[in-house]
Amino acid sequence: MSDTTEIAAPEIGSDALLAPRGGAWRERAHLLVLALGPVIGAVLLSGLVLLALGVNPVAYYGYVVERGLLNPYGLQATLTRMGPLLLIAAGLIVAFRAGIWNLGGDGQFLLSAVIVAALGPLLAPYLPVWLVLVIGLVVGAMVGAAWSVLPALLKAYQGVNEIITTLMMTFLGVSLANVLVKLFFRDPATTVPQTRTLIVADRLPRLFDTTISSGLIIGLVAIIVVHLVMTRTAFGLKLRIVGANPRAAIHAGLSVPALTVATFAISAALAGLAGAVEIMGVQGNVRADWNPAYSLTVVPLVFLARFNGFASIAFVFLFSVLSIGGESAARRTGVPNFFTLVVVAILLVMLGITEYLDQRRRAAGK
């Protein structure tokens, strides 16, 4: 998968030194249009859907902004929601830049969340809080990485399409997680099937006397580190070469199978870490049949950001505002709670249309 966010460094020479910089600014403006165009289109089309449902779209989006951004408690919930989403986005950036479609994030996330939710309350009475948190984060990342081993090996050594295998592993992971919650990890003290609850005092610390989980810091650090590694290091360059042209990577002496497995491991580990952060920072337990489906929701956000870590932070923030504010707006306007997913689906369609039009434009310009 080619790197569309990088601008080639100018050549050192008289022509390059005298060349106007207008081309670079036009390219940046073009990328901005490609990123914001689908968002604006999705908002407008979603507004038409709301009108068809008899709901004032201005009122709906007003409630979204009020609750998700302007309300202090809503803003804190928005920033807390960003933590696991940023970790998932970081994992997707690694995979997509390497030309790998890791669509198994939801299974990696949920299975890690269940195991961490079961492990945390068992360790808390015997170990210091900080050690329980560290173990939980490490275990979550390891579970996520382990759940990607089969698709990684099939892709690296047999050339099996990873879209199929990762989606299948997601189905298996979600199903296995539910079985674990209902049978092996079920809290016998509750009537509704769920894991034991990690008490608030043993969870990730809050930031600055607010309700914002420090999972936000973990997510921000992860996505910034991923961005810098993928754009500023030799390892990131190798992954991008593999994604851009695997045959050229082989001729360059790169071990494509090893890099493929490493990409899967890093991407899935970040998704698993997101599950651990969600449990130890927010939920405290996992109920039966719980599946927020964060991973597939974050996919269009990463594409809108053109696999840029800093741009992904902005889009994850916008989605978090929509997600948190949409819950309040749905109650006030009588819209179903899943309308946020409708907006994301429309956004995905608009992204596809935008990419198609851009490809047509580039082809016509050649």
Side-chain angles (χ1 to χ4, degrees):
M1 186 173 296
S2 62
D3 184 358
T4 58
T5 61
E6 299 275 326
I7 298 175
E11 298 178 359
I12 299 177
S14 58
D15 293 341
L17 293 175
L18 295 176
R21 298 184 178 180
W25 285 108
R26 283 194 297 271
E27 181 65 19
R28 292 175 182 175
H30 177 65
L31 292 175
L32 185 62
V33 170
L34 291 179
L36 296 182
V39 175
I40 297 173
V43 170
L44 294 177
L45 286 179
S46 300
L48 295 178
V49 174
L50 289 171
L51 284 176
L53 295 174
V55 176
N56 186 344
V58 176
Y60 177 86
Y61 287 118
Y63 290 139
V64 169
V65 174
E66 176 189 346
R67 177 62 181 174
L69 185 61
L70 302 180
N71 182 283
Y73 296 104
L75 179 59
Q76 293 174 39
T78 295
L79 295 175
T80 297
R81 177 67 57 85
M82 288 180 64
L85 297 181
L86 288 173
L87 287 165
I88 293 173
L92 290 174
I93 288 173
V94 173
F96 291 160
R97 278 185 175 267
I100 293 173
W101 287 76
N102 176 22
L103 301 183
D106 286 330
Q108 297 150 10
F109 172 94
L110 191 57
L111 198 57
S112 298
V114 169
I115 293 178
V116 170
L119 182 64
L122 294 179
L123 298 178
Y126 307 104
L127 298 176
V129 174
W130 67 268
L131 186 55
V132 173
L133 295 176
V134 170
I135 292 175
L137 294 175
V138 172
V139 169
M142 292 176 61
V143 171
W147 202 245
S148 71
V149 168
L150 183 58
L153 294 178
L154 290 175
K155 170 68 175 180
Y157 296 101
Q158 299 297 325
V160 178
N161 190 308
E162 71 276 14
I163 296 177
I164 298 173
T165 55
T166 54
L167 286 175
M168 290 176 61
M169 292 300 289
T170 286
F171 175 77
L172 292 175
V174 171
S175 301
L176 178 58
N178 285 323
V179 170
L180 293 175
V181 171
K182 294 178 181 179
L183 298 179
F184 301 102
F185 297 155
R186 178 173 180 171
D187 183 359
T190 60
T191 56
V192 177
Q194 66 178 48
T195 63
R196 289 179 172 85
T197 301
L198 185 67
I199 63 175
V200 175
D202 292 335
R203 299 180 194 176
L204 290 171
R206 306 299 172 90
L207 300 177
F208 312 115
D209 296 325
T210 67
T211 61
I212 303 173
S213 170
S214 54
L216 172 65
I217 302 299
I218 297 175
L220 287 172
V221 170
I223 199 166
I224 291 173
V225 169
V226 162
H227 177 82
L228 295 178
V229 168
M230 296 302 295
T231 59
R232 299 289 186 269
T233 68
F235 177 72
L237 178 61
K238 291 178 181 178
L239 294 185
R240 289 158 52 198
I241 292 174
V242 171
N245 194 329
R247 292 184 178 179
I250 294 174
H251 287 299
L254 299 180
S255 177
V256 174
L259 290 173
T260 298
V261 173
T263 300
F264 268 102
I266 295 171
S267 178
L270 287 167
L273 184 59
V277 165
E278 178 72 9
I279 296 306
M280 296 193 300
V282 183
Q283 303 292 339
N285 60 34
V286 175
R287 296 182 178 180
D289 301 320
W290 175 73
N291 180 17
Y294 286 153
S295 183
L296 291 180
T297 304
V298 174
V299 169
L301 306 181
V302 172
F303 270 91
L304 284 171
R306 299 297 187 227
F307 315 142
N308 182 289
F310 296 103
S312 295
I313 295 174
F315 282 110
V316 166
F317 174 72
L318 290 177
F319 172 76
S320 298
V321 171
L322 178 62
S323 178
I324 296 298
E327 297 173 1
S328 176
R331 290 193 299 269
R332 295 187 184 187
T333 59
V335 174
N337 288 331
F338 55 79
F339 186 76
T340 300
L341 297 179
V342 175
V343 178
V344 173
I346 296 176
L347 176 61
L348 191 58
V349 173
M350 294 302 299
L351 176 61
I353 294 174
T354 302
E355 288 293 326
Y356 171 74
L357 294 176
D358 183 56
Q359 292 295 329
R360 290 286 300 271
R361 183 192 67 85
R362 293 179 181 274
K366 292 182 178 179

